[in-house]
Amino acid sequence: MSWGTELWDQFDNLEKHTQGGIDTLEKYIKFVKERTEIELSYAKQLRNLSKKYQPKKNSKEEEEYRYTACKAFLSTLNEMNDYAGQHEVISENMTSQITMELARYVQELKQERKSHFHDGRKAQQHIETCWKQLESSKRRFERDCKEADRAQQYFEKMDADINVTKADVEKARQQAQMRHQMAEDSKADYSSILQKFNHEQHEYYHTHIPNIFQKIQEMEERRIVRIGESVKTYAELDRQVIPIIGKCLDGIVKAAESIDPKNDSQLAIEAYKSGFEPPGDIEFEDYTQPMKRTVSDNSLSNSRGEGKSELKFGGKSKGKLWPFIKKNKLMSLLTSPHQPPPPPPASASPSAVPNGPQSPKQQKEPLSHRFNEFMTSKPKIHCFRSLKRGLSLKLGATPEDFSNLPPEQRRKKLQQKVDELNKEIQKEMDQRDAITKMKDVYLKNPQMGDPASLDHKLAEVSQNIEKLRLEAQKFEAWLAEVEGRLPARSEQARRQSGMYDVQNPPAVNSCAQDRESPDGSYTEERSQESEVKVLATDFDDEFDDEESLPAIGTCKALYTFEGQNEGTISVVEGETLYVIEEDKGDGWTRIRRSEDEEGYVPTSYVEVYLDKNAKDS
């Protein structure tokens, strides 16, 4: 089966067929190229997806990845990153082993095809030239034969005519002979050219064209084989990464199987355990005592009431309920906003109301009365300092001794800090030992170096070790204090820290021992483990009460204020609200809308109407 014998007369169709084969190969190359682009795009999207859900460095989100479920998710992200890398490998291999190779092969194939069809066209032109020569000699032979026949007839006519001279007859005879000779020459030339053409035609159809078509056939078959090999390579390149992709998927399955809910629960306990005891039972407060008094209170009954009030502060108190108080309410209760109030809008010009409605006189209950008495006493300052310190720690930097953390968390942080310092000390000691050995070598072999040159470095390392040891001792002392291994701090230390007041020890100690601030932070540490169970004073109960401060007047909003900062409250122009705390000189007034809504607004934004009786009382 050969194209040279079977398709000897299909030169044009073969040209179209081979061009179609090259077009098919180029189309396949384009297909593979687009596949590589898809693989790259897919790999890029997978990498971006994995990167998007990776935990951020040094963030709270990174701390969550201690749990096995989060670790499994992180492993899945990493495996997907490797999975994306395998698709990049597919793209690279297809580009190098298929696209680029076939692109070079197509160029070679085009050149080879062009050469073969150029030889075929050259053979066609040669045979056509031979055919034209044959036709020309044939027509010349035919013309010469006709001319010789006409000359012979003319001679015969002249020879038969008696009126023609002999010279004319001789001339006609010579002309006829010449034409016959020319016809013979044309015949011989035609015969020679015919033989040559038949030979060339035989060579053309049996030698030249079959050879050319055979080369074209081989070229086309090589192209078919090559595209088949490329398709096989296309599949093999995909198959090569399947084991690695399978390992990635196995890694994901292994990560899923490593999830341990019990371990995660234990980690949550370690991360959030505060070390405090749950709050105790709340005692019953009998509000019927004032009803049992006589109408005419004498000095003895008043003194007894005051004595009871004072004794209640020094006696046994109930446990605090800081964890159950709303954060925003206590934030506004303790501190006003940290930035200065905004100036009032220039466009609005509200009309001031000089005589606004007065709030009704508040009737003081014994509990509120005791609260006001305690607020005017000295221990209040210490308590509020402690609480405000907790808030400042919450909003600002973490203290060195981690006193803003609960005992259990503080113990863990301190233990971690001690371990880090011990590692640094060990590293410095190793460096000191190395320098000491080097100095000994220099002393034994002075030609290797000057021993005195190491004294400065040795002194610097020793100084660093001493600093680190002092630092470690400081943190170990704090750690021992938390763990209850050391005795309570002295009275002098407690006085210096603002935790102790000789004028009213019971009230102050209660403030110092309950270190948990309203926003969830802890401002003071217990000096002994037994202090965990010390209860707070009645002031804590009053302070925890959502209605601890009575209204001292009302106010009318002159402008609309959007309370976006913590501790502030939004008001609408013309709205009437209760005033529960006057401006202390910082430009803010504390107001209340309802039991659950209170906060600070700029003093210049409201018109205040104070209740004189409430203010004086």
Side-chain angles (χ1 to χ4, degrees), residues 332 335-343 561-571 579-591 599-606 608:
S332 61
T335 57
S336 62
H338 294 280
Q339 67 279 358
F561 173 69
E562 296 292 338
Q564 298 179 353
N565 297 326
E566 190 170 11
T568 61
I569 186 173
S570 301
V571 295
V579 178
I580 56 177
E581 187 176 325
E582 289 186 84
D583 187 351
K584 302 300 182 181
D586 55 359
W588 295 90
T589 299
R590 187 175 166 202
I591 63 172
Y600 288 88
V601 295
T603 305
S604 58
Y605 276 59
V606 293
V608 179

Side-chain angles (χ1 to χ4, degrees), residues 118-390:
H118 177 72
D119 294 340
R121 289 192 181 89
K122 191 174 180 179
Q124 280 184 340
Q125 291 176 358
H126 178 69
I127 198 66
E128 288 177 0
T129 301
C130 293
W131 172 257
K132 289 179 181 179
Q133 290 178 355
L134 178 63
E135 287 293 323
S136 177
S137 63
K138 181 181 178 181
R139 286 194 299 269
R140 186 169 60 252
F141 172 60
E142 182 182 6
R143 185 179 65 251
D144 290 344
C145 288
K146 290 180 180 179
E147 291 293 335
D149 187 44
R150 284 198 298 272
Q152 183 63 31
Q153 291 177 2
Y154 180 73
F155 167 69
E156 291 175 357
K157 182 179 178 181
M158 294 293 288
D159 188 41
D161 191 357
I162 57 176
N163 296 325
V164 178
T165 61
K166 188 176 180 179
D168 292 335
V169 174
E170 184 64 24
K171 184 179 179 181
R173 185 181 65 78
Q174 292 177 358
Q175 187 70 23
Q177 288 178 355
M178 185 183 67
R179 293 293 180 182
H180 277 290
Q181 186 61 37
M182 290 176 64
E184 289 295 330
D185 294 340
S186 298
K187 181 179 179 181
D189 189 31
Y190 170 66
S191 176
S192 175
I193 292 174
L194 179 60
Q195 290 178 3
K196 182 181 178 181
F197 173 78
N198 288 332
H199 176 72
E200 292 292 341
Q201 182 174 260
H202 185 274
E203 288 293 325
Y204 175 78
Y205 286 111
H206 294 86
T207 303
H208 298 307
I209 287 297
N211 290 338
I212 293 173
F213 280 14
Q214 185 63 31
K215 292 178 180 178
I216 294 174
Q217 180 180 356
E218 292 174 358
M219 177 194 72
E220 186 69 9
E221 289 176 355
R222 286 198 307 271
R223 179 192 66 81
I224 295 171
V225 171
R226 189 64 178 270
I227 196 172
E229 292 175 351
S230 298
V231 172
K232 186 177 180 181
T233 304
Y234 177 86
E236 289 298 327
L237 292 177
D238 247 343
R239 195 189 304 276
Q240 288 175 3
V241 301
I242 289 179
I244 304 178
I245 291 177
K247 290 182 179 179
C248 295
L249 299 177
D250 292 341
I252 295 175
V253 173
K254 185 177 179 180
E257 293 174 350
S258 67
I259 296 177
D260 186 359
K262 298 295 183 183
N263 183 63
D264 286 0
S265 299
Q266 183 61 34
L267 289 176
I269 292 174
E270 296 177 359
Y272 302 114
K273 183 179 179 181
S274 66
F276 285 109
E277 294 290 336
D281 295 338
I282 300 175
E283 295 182 358
F284 176 76
E285 295 187 20
D286 192 356
Y287 289 95
T288 61
Q289 293 298 329
M291 298 173 59
K292 297 179 180 180
R293 297 179 182 177
T294 59
V295 178
S296 59
D297 292 337
N298 52 25
S299 59
L300 179 61
S301 62
N302 289 338
S303 61
R304 288 178 180 178
E306 293 175 359
K308 290 180 181 179
S309 177
E310 291 177 357
L311 288 174
K312 193 168 186 179
F313 280 99
K316 185 179 177 181
S317 60
K318 296 176 289 301
K320 293 177 64 176
L321 298 177
W322 290 123
F324 306 105
I325 302 177
K326 298 180 181 179
K327 179 180 177 181
N328 59 350
K329 191 173 183 67
L330 284 163
M331 286 289 293
S332 61
L333 183 64
L334 294 177
T335 57
S336 62
H338 294 280
Q339 67 279 358
S347 60
S349 58
S351 60
V353 183
N355 298 321
Q358 298 292 327
S359 60
K361 185 176 180 179
Q362 299 288 335
Q363 296 296 331
K364 297 296 182 179
E365 295 182 353
L367 189 61
S368 300
H369 182 64
R370 286 188 287 109
F371 174 77
N372 289 335
E373 289 177 352
F374 188 78
M375 289 294 289
T376 57
S377 63
K378 189 173 181 180
K380 172 203 66 173
I381 302 175
H382 298 283
C383 295
F384 271 92
R385 283 177 182 173
S386 174
L387 295 175
K388 293 182 72 174
R389 177 187 170 196

Side-chain angles (χ1 to χ4, degrees), residues 527-587:
S527 59
Q528 293 181 354
E529 188 68 20
S530 59
E531 288 183 357
V532 176
K533 298 182 179 180
V534 177
L535 300 178
T537 63
D538 289 332
F539 162 69
D540 294 324
D541 295 325
E542 289 288 309
F543 190 73
D544 291 342
D545 192 359
E546 292 188 359
E547 296 183 356
S548 58
L549 294 180
I552 61 174
T554 60
C555 68
K556 180 179 180 182
L558 304 179
Y559 315 99
T560 298
F561 173 69
E562 296 292 338
Q564 298 179 353
N565 297 326
E566 190 170 11
T568 61
I569 186 173
S570 301
V571 295
V572 181
E573 181 180 355
E575 186 178 5
T576 302
L577 306 103
Y578 292 101
V579 178
I580 56 177
E581 187 176 325
E582 289 186 84
D583 187 351
K584 302 300 182 181
D586 55 359

